[in-house]
Amino acid sequence: MSSELVIRVENTERGPLVYVSGEIDIYTAQQFKDDLYQVVDGSESDVTIDCIGLNYIDSTGLGIFVGALKKTKLNGRNIYIINMKDNIKKLFVITGLDKLFIIN
Amino acid sequence: MSSELVIRVENTERGPLVYVSGEIDIYTAQQFKDDLYQVVDGSESDVTIDCIGLNYIDSTGLGIFVGALKKTKLNGRNIYIINMKDNIKKLFVITGLDKLFIIN
Amino acid sequence: MESNDKITLLLPCKAEYVSVARLTASGVAARMGYDIDTVEDIKVAVSEVCSRIISVDGISAGDYEITYEVFADRLAITFASNSERADCLFKNDEDGLGMSIINAFMDEVEFCPEDHILSMTKYIEEKS
Amino acid sequence: MESNDKITLLLPCKAEYVSVARLTASGVAARMGYDIDTVEDIKVAVSEVCSRIISVDGISAGDYEITYEVFADRLAITFASNSERADCLFKNDEDGLGMSIINAFMDEVEFCPEDHILSMTKYIEEKS
Ligand SMILES: Nc1ncnc2c1ncn2[C@@H]1O[C@H](COP(=O)(O)OP(=O)(O)O)[C@@H](O)[C@H]1O
Ligand SMILES: Nc1ncnc2c1ncn2[C@@H]1O[C@H](COP(=O)(O)OP(=O)(O)O)[C@@H](O)[C@H]1O
């Protein structure tokens, strides 16, 4: 079975930059969780997630964003989300999660 | 029920130019047939069909291309097909219809 | 009785096929003439219910069924499974993320109607 | 016996829903990992069979059923209808345009297997 999710991490001077592309749903969620938590756990700085290639996210995926944020908040750090498509942003707004993350 | 086919006809000095966009399948075939036959029947010159926006065609649609060609051939005229996408051209090749039309 | 068309999709209770449910949902909604954003909303809502069915039931639970009923003024979508555990899927979690998405995107959501898991309805807006 | 997943789509015998069959076909084939061109081929072949079922049966014939069986090495697609007239759909027209497309895109095509209309198979190419 082919997966529709690709995650790529780049280390920048402002901290890790995570490119997410494809679809985050119940099928790809575990892969997303493993990769994102690894980045968050391994970082002393803020984490930026670039969603320019992200076409779909469901509540499982949103829950993982929240989980990752909780981890970073423990250390007084933040998660920045950039380049969200409208359909993705809509889900953050509907669930109120747009108020937890710094979204550009 | 919404239709996924849009047909637009332009009269040029070289004859009618028919823009086909969307999908030609068993649902939209009648609309395509009516529009194309009307153009072909009403024209004294060659007819050009621009498929730049055509995403899908099935055997019903191919049959209508052949029907239109037969009509034009009766008067010694031709049908030119331009801007076919690869998946559309593939169907013309598989069915041997690429040898009947002038395809650019 | 209103006459209506029915489309039914039967899927294994496995995460990998939720994407198939999404495409089918998009196909039905697009064909009915909903605008692009509404098609997306319906797709997302369907996907949320599927995910929940799979999470509750697990792989062993066999198949589940999504039925689309096409009316002149609305689309009604019903989910069913032969697993009893799937019965009242969202009962303990009515304000979870999944549920808030479904409620935001559908006009009506009903839990456990008759023998089913959930049914939800989207109306077609009058073109004014 | 090989274990396999089954996905079934039930559609009214109406032209407007063939596009739904195409999306579902794409979804299953894409999920199985076929490359983009092969996904398109499978979609086209499915659509051709659907069109033929609808043309023969007409609107009155009720529903028809498309079943996808997912194997490790192949996808098997079977079409069934409860209308007897649908029985041997392509029998008199084996070299028509529709049939030549189906034969070109699928690896195996079988007419009237058991109680069904048609079944067709696409193998997954070995990645060398
Ligand atoms: N609006 C919100 N603000 C902050 N956290 C939230 C919000 N909604 C959900 N969460 C948190 O997101 C995580 C997953 O959400 P949850 O509702 O449990 O999703 P699910 O419905 O998948 O169980 C939980 O940790 C929950 O506390
Ligand atoms: N390779 C071909 N070359 C020329 N004409 C063809 C070819 N294949 C089909 N046709 C013509 O196209 C039209 C429709 O094709 P047909 O095979 O009857 O389609 P269907 O399978 O939909 O009945 C017919 O007029 C047929 O003669």
Side-chain angles (χ1 to χ4, degrees):
Chain A
M1 295 290 136
S2 73
S3 164
E4 301 291 330
L5 180 68
V6 178
I7 293 166
R8 190 166 59 78
V9 184
E10 216 172 82
N11 288 307
T12 75
E13 53 192 19
R14 299 182 51 196
L17 175 56
V18 183
Y19 290 96
V20 184
S21 60
E23 306 197 327
I24 305 175
D25 71 355
I26 190 172
Y27 182 56
T28 56
Q30 193 60 47
Q31 177 195 348
F32 178 57
K33 187 173 186 174
D34 291 347
D35 289 358
L36 184 61
Y37 281 18
Q38 195 184 350
V39 171
V40 167
D41 286 337
S43 169
E44 301 291 311
S45 38
D46 293 340
V47 173
T48 305
I49 304 176
D50 187 327
C51 295
I52 195 156
L54 187 63
N55 300 314
Y56 182 77
I57 190 165
D58 72 358
S59 64
T60 324
L62 294 171
I64 294 164
F65 269 90
V66 174
L69 186 67
K70 284 182 182 162
K71 285 170 171 285
T72 61
K73 289 286 185 190
L74 288 178
N75 299 322
R77 293 172 283 112
N78 265 314
I79 291 184
Y80 292 81
I81 307 179
I82 60 173
N83 295 325
M84 269 200 278
K85 289 181 183 165
D86 287 345
N87 61 322
I88 309 289
K89 187 174 275 175
K90 188 170 172 182
L91 287 168
F92 276 82
V93 172
I94 277 170
T95 55
L97 298 185
D98 60 324
K99 297 184 199 77
L100 305 185
F101 295 88
I102 303 167
I103 296 175
N104 293 309
Chain B
M1 296 289 138
S2 73
S3 164
E4 301 290 330
L5 179 66
V6 178
I7 293 166
R8 190 166 60 76
V9 184
E10 215 172 84
N11 289 308
T12 74
E13 53 191 20
R14 298 183 53 197
L17 175 57
V18 184
Y19 291 95
V20 184
S21 61
E23 305 197 328
I24 306 174
D25 70 356
I26 189 170
Y27 182 55
T28 56
Q30 193 60 47
Q31 178 195 348
F32 179 58
K33 187 173 184 172
D34 292 346
D35 290 359
L36 185 60
Y37 281 18
Q38 196 185 350
V39 171
V40 167
D41 287 337
S43 168
E44 302 291 311
S45 39
D46 292 340
V47 173
T48 305
I49 304 176
D50 187 326
C51 295
I52 195 157
L54 187 64
N55 300 314
Y56 183 77
I57 190 165
D58 72 357
S59 63
T60 323
L62 294 172
I64 294 164
F65 268 89
V66 175
L69 185 67
K70 284 182 182 164
K71 284 170 173 285
T72 60
K73 289 286 185 188
L74 288 179
N75 300 321
R77 291 172 285 114
N78 265 314
I79 291 184
Y80 291 81
I81 307 178
I82 59 174
N83 295 325
M84 269 199 278
K85 289 181 183 165
D86 286 346
N87 61 322
I88 308 288
K89 187 174 277 177
K90 189 171 171 182
L91 287 168
F92 275 82
V93 172
I94 276 170
T95 55
L97 299 185
D98 61 323
K99 297 184 200 80
L100 304 186
F101 295 88
I102 303 166
I103 296 175
N104 293 309
Chain C
M1 279 283 293
E2 290 169 274
S3 81
N4 65 80
D5 291 332
K6 259 190 203 180
I7 296 137
T8 304
L9 181 67
L10 242 121
L11 286 175
C13 277
K14 293 188 178 178
E16 54 261 52
Y17 298 114
V18 172
S19 60
V20 175
R22 284 200 293 276
L23 277 171
T24 305
S26 300
V28 175
R31 176 50 86 216
M32 288 180 66
Y34 289 101
D35 62 79
I36 287 182
D37 288 344
T38 308
V39 169
E40 176 80 14
D41 293 351
I42 292 169
K43 181 189 86 173
V44 170
V46 166
S47 189
E48 288 296 337
V49 182
C50 295
S51 300
R52 186 57 59 102
I53 291 173
I54 289 161
S55 310
V56 171
D57 274 352
I59 291 175
S60 58
D63 296 336
Y64 65 104
E65 191 179 281
I66 310 171
T67 302
Y68 297 88
E69 287 181 87
V70 176
F71 295 93
D73 65 334
R74 69 190 186 279
L75 172 62
I77 309 173
T78 308
F79 297 79
S81 152
N82 43 23
S83 161
E84 292 189 12
R85 290 168 59 211
D87 234 25
C88 277
L89 221 48
F90 290 89
K91 265 284 145 71
N92 302 315
D93 184 36
E94 293 198 12
D95 42 27
L97 291 172
M99 210 44 235
S100 55
I101 293 170
I102 295 166
N103 281 323
F105 286 162
M106 301 302 291
D107 295 321
E108 289 167 9
V109 182
E110 199 187 346
F111 296 95
C112 312
E114 292 161 39
D115 282 338
H116 304 313
I117 295 172
L118 183 147
S119 82
M120 55 192 198
T121 302
K122 187 78 182 178
Y123 286 87
I124 293 172
E125 278 176 43
E126 302 284 325
K127 270 149 203 152
S128 53
Chain D
M1 278 286 290
E2 290 168 273
S3 82
N4 65 79
D5 291 333
K6 259 190 203 177
I7 296 136
T8 304
L9 180 68
L10 242 120
L11 287 175
C13 278
K14 293 187 178 179
E16 54 260 51
Y17 298 114
V18 172
S19 60
V20 175
R22 284 201 293 276
L23 277 170
T24 304
S26 299
V28 174
R31 178 49 88 215
M32 288 179 66
Y34 290 100
D35 62 79
I36 287 182
D37 288 344
T38 308
V39 169
E40 175 81 14
D41 293 352
I42 292 169
K43 181 188 87 173
V44 170
V46 166
S47 188
E48 288 296 336
V49 182
C50 295
S51 301
R52 185 57 60 102
I53 291 173
I54 289 161
S55 310
V56 172
D57 274 352
I59 291 175
S60 58
D63 297 335
Y64 66 104
E65 191 180 282
I66 310 171
T67 302
Y68 297 87
E69 287 182 88
V70 176
F71 296 92
D73 66 334
R74 69 189 186 281
L75 172 62
I77 310 173
T78 307
F79 297 79
S81 153
N82 43 23
S83 160
E84 292 190 13
R85 290 169 57 212
D87 234 24
C88 279
L89 221 49
F90 289 90
K91 265 286 148 67
N92 303 314
D93 184 37
E94 293 198 13
D95 42 28
L97 291 172
M99 210 45 235
S100 56
I101 292 170
I102 294 166
N103 280 322
F105 287 162
M106 302 302 290
D107 295 322
E108 289 167 9
V109 181
E110 199 187 344
F111 296 94
C112 311
E114 291 160 39
D115 282 339
H116 304 314
I117 296 172
L118 183 147
S119 83
M120 55 192 198
T121 302
K122 188 78 183 179
Y123 286 88
I124 294 173
E125 278 176 41
E126 302 284 326
K127 270 151 201 150
S128 54

